[in-house]
Amino acid sequence: MATSLHAHVVEHLGSRIVSGQIPRGSIILAAELEQKLQVSRSVIREAVRVLAQCGLVNSTKRVGIRVLSAEHWNPYDDHVIRWRLASDHKGAQLRSLTELRISVEPMAAELAAEVAPEEMRKELMLISAQMNHYGRQGDLRRFLELDIRFHALVLAASGNEMFANLATPVGAILRGRTELGLMPERPHEEALLWHQSVADAISNSDPAAARRNMESIMRRTHNEISSLWENEPRLFVDPGKTS
Amino acid sequence: MATSLHAHVVEHLGSRIVSGQIPRGSIILAAELEQKLQVSRSVIREAVRVLAQCGLVNSTKRVGIRVLSAEHWNPYDDHVIRWRLASDHKGAQLRSLTELRISVEPMAAELAAEVAPEEMRKELMLISAQMNHYGRQGDLRRFLELDIRFHALVLAASGNEMFANLATPVGAILRGRTELGLMPERPHEEALLWHQSVADAISNSDPAAARRNMESIMRRTHNEISSLWENEPRLFVDPGKTS
DNA sequence: TGACACCAATCTGTGCAGGCATAAAAATAA
DNA sequence: TTATTTTTATGCCTGCACAGATTGGTGTCA
């Protein structure tokens, strides 16, 4: 996938910065990187430019490439999310994402019930039916993929592109929950019912019911995985950073 | 501000792509840009790299730099948000952002009541008191700045960096509402009360009350500005884009 | 004749090497 | 302390070689 050379450099540096192997506040010199990674200046420069946009570094004249602290990272950047999920603070990233989806998905379901195009409503009905089937059968692999598709569909059907774009990290959460063994042997009957009800409500243009049932799903999902970040410290960003 | 050359190129191209002056599907050649903008290859390449990360373009060999359609844009990128807010589809961007903040801010208030550090609670109390003062006095300029600070504080006090990072676009919404004359001559008494109640609830560690009052604020804010996007079409992204 | 596979030409981004200009930190002088 | 010079790393530019994808042509076979 990351076939291009500069993408490798981005990956190399980004993952090391997020994991903490390169401590914040460090100053890297472009010339060092050139010979350490055996690539040319242009590659370094483009990679640094990308990392700067992620908020990981900040290159200034006469001083070099400064590694920034976590509060400067762009928490919506796909790279950053991926690197954080692969780091020791995976829990903190999962918490942030989960709180975000708990906030967003009920609203997405409500909107979807109002504005979703017909074909999406139909596919939602189909998916939820399949979820019932494979869920009761205990086929967790298939269920997981359907679950991911279900939530991606609801987010997209809201017609809000900011919601739709959360499909990838939400999928990551769902995968994480299964991989870490936090799923029951087979999905709870209630959960299946709620998914079905969300699909029904969207299909029948019943925003209130769609929201209500999605909220139920969110409550359960939160209870199932909140143990993952019990001891993760929270990050309080300076609110004056922007103004 | 954008002092560096490549930043200018990013700005130039990005704004034109988002505004539609450069139609999606167009193919730009790096060599063209070099002489049209009178900058060197390295500048072009770094700019293109940044734009590619925004999802605006997609450069491939033998074909050139392809301008992508809106569904590929990264809706959380600060550049993209700014360019969209300056474009003809400002309404659509405001709608997406408003729906997002309506989803997020009540949860942020709830979390803040649980985890906010003491000094943030104190500042919230201070700000809401000043909002009362200048609001009743009809000083909309000062009120706006306080309002922006208030919501930025709540988002930051949630301890969720994804929430905190929404402070900038939320500020943009609030500014937009005032600039477009959608604010009443002086803030409604209810609104002042709700802000005060949110601050009180967070200060007293009462998550339910914090959420409830923030929800009230959100309902009103939605009613006040939803007229802005009455006729904006919604964008339904293909949910399979990710999987 | 027409369909298909294969090969070569060509075009464009990618990567490399080295040079000069410039801004900001650090050292020096006033 | 304040002003000036020196240092030094990034910003920017250019020429060159390479890689990969598209295109068109060529030849084979049906």
Side-chain angles (χ1 to χ4, degrees), chain A residues 105-115 154 202 206-208 210-211 214:
Chain A
E105 289 204 50
M107 169 73 92
E110 181 180 338
L111 285 170
E114 295 171 359
V115 303
V154 173
I202 291 176
D206 184 346
R211 166 181 282 278
M214 186 62 95

Side-chain angles (χ1 to χ4, degrees), chain A residues 4-6 38-43 46 61-63:
Chain A
S4 64
L5 202 37
H6 90 270
Q38 289 294 310
V39 293
S40 73
R41 236 184 301 177
S42 49
V43 172
E46 287 171 37
K61 275 192 168 177
R62 184 53 174 81
V63 42

Side-chain angles (χ1 to χ4, degrees), chain B residues 3-6 38-43 46 61-62:
Chain B
T3 152
S4 62
L5 250 186
H6 88 270
Q38 289 295 308
V39 292
S40 71
R41 255 177 305 163
S42 47
V43 172
E46 288 168 37
K61 281 185 177 165
R62 182 55 171 82

Side-chain angles (χ1 to χ4, degrees), chain B residues 127-200:
Chain B
I127 300 269
S128 65
Q130 293 179 324
M131 287 177 74
N132 278 326
H133 179 73
Y134 289 110
R136 294 214 172 80
Q137 202 169 302
D139 186 342
L140 280 187
R141 289 186 70 85
R142 281 231 180 74
F143 181 81
L144 172 60
E145 294 310 315
L146 288 167
D147 199 14
I148 292 173
R149 177 76 181 174
F150 179 90
H151 289 280
L153 255 170
V154 173
L155 288 167
S158 70
N160 181 321
E161 71 284 354
M162 303 191 88
F163 291 179
N165 237 258
L166 296 176
T168 306
V170 165
I173 295 177
L174 296 172
R175 285 219 165 75
R177 183 179 58 169
T178 299
E179 285 167 7
L180 297 171
L182 294 174
M183 276 288 283
E185 273 195 37
R186 61 187 57 208
H188 290 105
E189 193 62 29
E190 291 172 298
L192 292 176
L193 208 66
W194 287 329
H195 280 79
Q196 182 68 60
S197 300
V198 168
D200 288 345

Side-chain angles (χ1 to χ4, degrees), chain A residues 170-194:
Chain A
V170 165
I173 295 177
L174 295 173
R175 286 219 165 75
R177 183 179 57 171
T178 300
E179 284 167 9
L180 297 171
L182 294 174
M183 277 287 284
E185 271 193 40
R186 60 186 59 208
H188 290 107
E189 193 64 29
E190 294 170 297
L192 293 176
L193 207 66
W194 289 328

Side-chain angles (χ1 to χ4, degrees), chain A residues 98-116:
Chain A
T98 300
E99 287 170 358
L100 181 59
R101 74 176 288 231
I102 288 177
S103 307
V104 163
E105 289 204 50
M107 169 73 92
E110 181 180 338
L111 285 170
E114 295 171 359
V115 303

